[in-house]
Amino acid sequence: MFARTTNHPSLTHRLLPLIHFYRFTHSIMVETLASSPSLWRFNFNPRRLFSSYKTLFALLWIFLLSTSLFVWQRNSLDGLSIFRRPFPARPLPRFRPVAFNLTDFGAVGDGVTVNTLAFEKAVFAISKLGKNGGGQLNVPAGKWLTAPFNLTSHMTLFLAEDAVILGIDDEKYWPLMPPLPSYGYGREHPGPRYGSLIHGQNLRDVVITGNNGTIDGQGQRWWKRYRQKLLNHTRGPLVQIMYSSDILISDITLRNPPFWTLHPYDCKNVTIRNMTILAPLYEAPNTDGIDPDSCEDMLIEDSYISVGDDAIAIKSGWDQYGVAYGRPSKNILIRNLVVRSMVSAGISIGSEMSGGVSNVTVENVLIWNSRRAVRIKTAAGRGAYIRDITYKNITLENVRVGIIIKTDYNEHPDAGFDPKAFPVIRDISYISIHGEGVRVPVRIHGSADIPVRNVTFRDMSVGITYKKKHIFQCAYVSGKVIGSIFPQPCENLDLYDEQGKLVKKSVSENASDIDYDI
């Protein structure tokens, strides 16, 4: 399922011949022993024993079975190989008509030599091949230190097994770029921002993939300097693709970004799958895993994410800048993930959502050992909308707050935002939500200016760790509960039976029992 799994068949699959071997031998032995009671008494008589061809056949099978098991146990590799044989490196697949090796351009993978020029030369060579199907850059095993570099259209960047692209951790090597137009601000500082280690802009048909090679931003120095307030510009993402379409990122590991890890910005038709994304759970500020930002038609699947901020955060611009830019994030499917975030949330929408977010499905996700599970966050001044959001088959394990909608996330780029630009939040569904070890299963905190409308809960059972009332918390929310759920829902919601018949009308949509002490 995840990028770190090997491509070998499973251990059970590889052991099937031996399992059948054992079962067949066992059946013969049972028959032989049943017909030869003296064998149970261990009265060994070679002539009598070998007079039975079934007995001889059984002993032969036992010998072969024992030998095979011994060879397998002695020579297995990670429990997956039955017999010793050379284990060559996986060959590099060829996705393009022309393929280059990074070493063709003078690169040295010793972790010390700076290979920026080699990457730039390789990308330039591939940029000349677009009309003929593009080119592939193979990064072999080794540690390839580099400053930021750009990709080109019709390009495949392929990281071999044990290949590591290392980002130089000195900011003087990182170029400055204008702030994102939908943010109008560097996010951490006014003015320009640092670019990303691997960057793409106005591209089409780009693939970043591999045999689980790694892109490592070496963010430790960035995080420390950020905490010490020694940086004058916003940190850059590890990988950022902007204004592009037809993007595939798969089968690699991304780790230790200076800032956000993977940031597709104003892109269409993006697929992200089979990824491992890692950052320390603490003291690695703002190391989000994947941040779809004003993106359309996007799939994120089959990945493991454990980071120091939101594992996934869907965005679309910040306050008046995002409203003016007007590019929503929409048609996004997130599925089959295992995620963890001890500082923030597993799956977030917002808080920068001023271009709008709609038609998002999050399904088949395990969120474990996290501060929050699935979260929507916004504030007055954001404007736009969050609507048509479905969470389905979500499993929570040891989470402080399971479901949260927060409408007072008051962080703004400057004083120019419109305080009366109230976002609309509506049509949110939570279906098949299960788990254990949750302190507060639900906290939906709407307000008089930003009510939460048409929320649906169905098939929910969450084991709680806090024996106090109001663990299902609501304020300024309307919607319904279909069938029975646990824990008991707040009184703001209408209750329906499984057939859709109204059982009980809500007491008041505006009732509030938010308790941030728990």
Side-chain angles (χ1 to χ4, degrees):
M1 173 181 176
F2 306 117
R4 282 206 167 273
T5 58
T6 170
N7 290 330
H8 298 298
S10 68
L11 177 60
T12 302
H13 178 73
R14 296 299 298 269
L15 286 176
L16 279 177
L18 292 180
I19 294 171
H20 293 315
F21 201 136
Y22 166 76
R23 288 174 176 170
F24 179 68
T25 306
H26 182 262
S27 66
I28 294 174
M29 287 300 299
V30 168
E31 181 180 354
T32 301
L33 292 172
S35 62
S36 304
S38 61
L39 291 180
W40 289 103
R41 296 192 299 270
F42 298 101
N43 294 327
F44 184 73
N45 184 328
R47 182 176 296 177
R48 182 178 180 184
L49 176 64
F50 291 110
S51 64
S52 169
Y53 74 90
K54 289 185 178 180
T55 305
L56 178 62
F57 192 59
L59 291 173
L60 177 62
W61 275 113
I62 292 171
F63 172 77
L64 292 174
L65 174 61
S66 301
T67 303
S68 298
L69 285 173
F70 173 78
V71 171
W72 170 78
Q73 183 179 21
R74 180 178 178 182
N75 297 336
S76 63
L77 178 63
D78 291 333
L80 295 173
S81 298
I82 294 181
F83 300 107
R84 180 178 294 280
R85 61 179 182 271
F87 194 78
R90 283 177 282 184
L92 301 180
R94 186 163 171 169
F95 300 105
R96 304 283 183 178
V98 178
F100 299 104
N101 193 303
L102 184 63
T103 55
D104 298 339
F105 301 90
V108 179
D110 58 6
V112 177
T113 304
V114 178
N115 297 290
T116 313
L117 184 60
F119 278 107
E120 291 174 345
K121 287 181 176 179
V123 173
F124 180 76
I126 292 172
S127 70
K128 304 298 183 182
L129 304 173
K131 293 183 180 180
N132 298 315
Q136 177 172 321
L137 176 59
N138 293 323
V139 181
K143 295 182 178 180
W144 309 92
L145 186 66
T146 181
F149 64 91
N150 295 319
L151 304 178
T152 188
S153 291
H154 310 292
M155 174 181 178
T156 296
L157 177 65
F158 189 94
L159 280 71
E161 190 173 19
D162 298 322
V164 182
I165 296 177
L166 290 173
I168 293 178
D169 63 0
D170 189 337
E171 64 266 24
K172 71 182 180 183
Y173 291 97
W174 289 59
L176 292 175
M177 302 182 65
L180 295 169
S182 61
Y183 287 72
Y185 185 88
R187 190 62 182 83
E188 295 176 335
H189 295 277
R193 60 193 175 91
Y194 290 108
S196 55
L197 179 63
I198 297 179
H199 190 79
Q201 199 161 310
N202 298 306
L203 303 182
R204 185 173 177 272
D205 178 25
V206 173
V207 177
I208 304 175
T209 188
N211 285 333
N212 197 32
T214 298
I215 302 173
D216 189 331
Q218 299 200 102
Q220 292 85 350
R221 184 173 183 268
W222 291 94
W223 309 330
K224 182 177 180 180
R225 288 177 62 78
Y226 169 77
R227 291 193 300 268
Q228 293 174 343
K229 302 186 184 302
L230 296 177
L231 296 173
N232 297 319
H233 305 285
T234 297
R235 293 165 290 155
L238 185 61
V239 178
Q240 184 176 63
I241 309 294
M242 302 172 60
Y243 316 122
S244 300
S245 64
D246 306 326
I247 308 299
L248 170 63
I249 303 174
S250 70
D251 299 287
I252 59 174
T253 294
L254 304 178
R255 64 187 309 147
N256 300 324
F259 189 56
W260 298 341
T261 306
L262 177 52
H263 185 210
Y265 179 83
D266 198 353
C267 291
K268 294 183 179 181
N269 190 22
V270 179
T271 298
I272 300 170
R273 62 162 56 106
N274 297 331
M275 299 290 291
T276 303
I277 299 179
L278 304 171
L281 294 175
Y282 298 103
E283 297 185 350
N286 309 108
T287 49
D288 294 11
I290 304 173
D291 284 25
D293 203 337
S294 295
C295 287
E296 179 178 349
D297 301 331
M298 188 168 183
L299 172 64
I300 302 171
E301 65 178 357
D302 301 334
S303 297
Y304 177 81
I305 306 173
S306 177
V307 289
D309 208 298
D310 294 325
I312 294 177
I314 301 173
K315 304 175 181 293
S316 65
W318 202 7
D319 286 0
Q320 72 272 25
Y321 303 105
V323 172
Y325 193 69
R327 301 283 200 282
S329 282
K330 61 182 181 180
N331 307 334
I332 297 174
L333 173 59
I334 299 168
R335 65 186 179 190
N336 307 334
L337 306 182
V338 176
V339 302
R340 178 170 62 160
S341 172
M342 288 296 293
V343 173
S344 196
I347 312 291
S348 282
I349 297 176
S351 74
E352 308 95 319
M353 41 62 61
S354 299
V357 178
S358 66
N359 194 23
V360 175
T361 298
V362 179
E363 63 183 11
N364 304 332
V365 175
L366 167 63
I367 303 163
W368 69 290
N369 284 16
S370 296
R371 186 174 180 84
R372 306 171 188 89
V374 294
R375 175 172 65 170
I376 294 172
K377 50 182 179 176
T378 186
R382 297 288 193 268
Y385 53 83
I386 298 172
R387 66 187 184 214
D388 302 314
I389 313 296
T390 299
Y391 301 92
K392 182 166 57 175
N393 295 333
I394 307 298
T395 301
L396 316 178
E397 182 178 328
N398 297 327
V399 174
R400 184 177 178 87
V401 183
I403 293 168
I404 184 167
I405 299 178
K406 184 177 176 62
T407 60
D408 58 351
Y409 203 85
N410 291 311
E411 186 180 10
H412 306 280
D414 53 45
F417 70 96
D418 179 4
K420 294 185 179 181
F422 301 123
V424 174
I425 305 175
R426 61 177 303 112
D427 305 325
I428 317 293
S429 296
Y430 301 94
I431 304 167
S432 295
I433 312 296
H434 302 283
E436 61 181 7
V438 180
R439 188 174 175 89
V440 179
V442 178
R443 179 180 287 153
I444 301 179
H445 192 179
S447 66
D449 294 321
I450 311 174
V452 180
R453 301 296 190 207
N454 194 26
V455 176
T456 299
F457 288 90
R458 183 168 192 166
D459 182 21
M460 177 175 176
S461 178
V462 176
I464 57 176
T465 61
Y466 199 79
K467 308 300 183 182
K468 183 178 178 179
K469 295 180 179 179
H470 309 308
I471 55 176
F472 197 121
Q473 302 177 10
C474 299
Y476 293 93
V477 55
S478 65
K480 58 187 175 184
V481 173
I482 300 176
S484 61
I485 67 172
F486 182 86
Q488 182 178 345
C490 59
E491 296 184 345
N492 305 56
L493 304 174
D494 299 334
L495 304 182
Y496 289 78
D497 62 20
E498 291 286 355
Q499 288 69 43
K501 181 180 178 181
L502 179 64
V503 175
K504 181 181 179 183
K505 188 71 175 172
S506 66
V507 175
S508 171
E509 298 176 359
N510 299 336
S512 178
D513 57 8
I514 302 295
D515 184 356
Y516 280 104
D517 291 336
I518 62 171

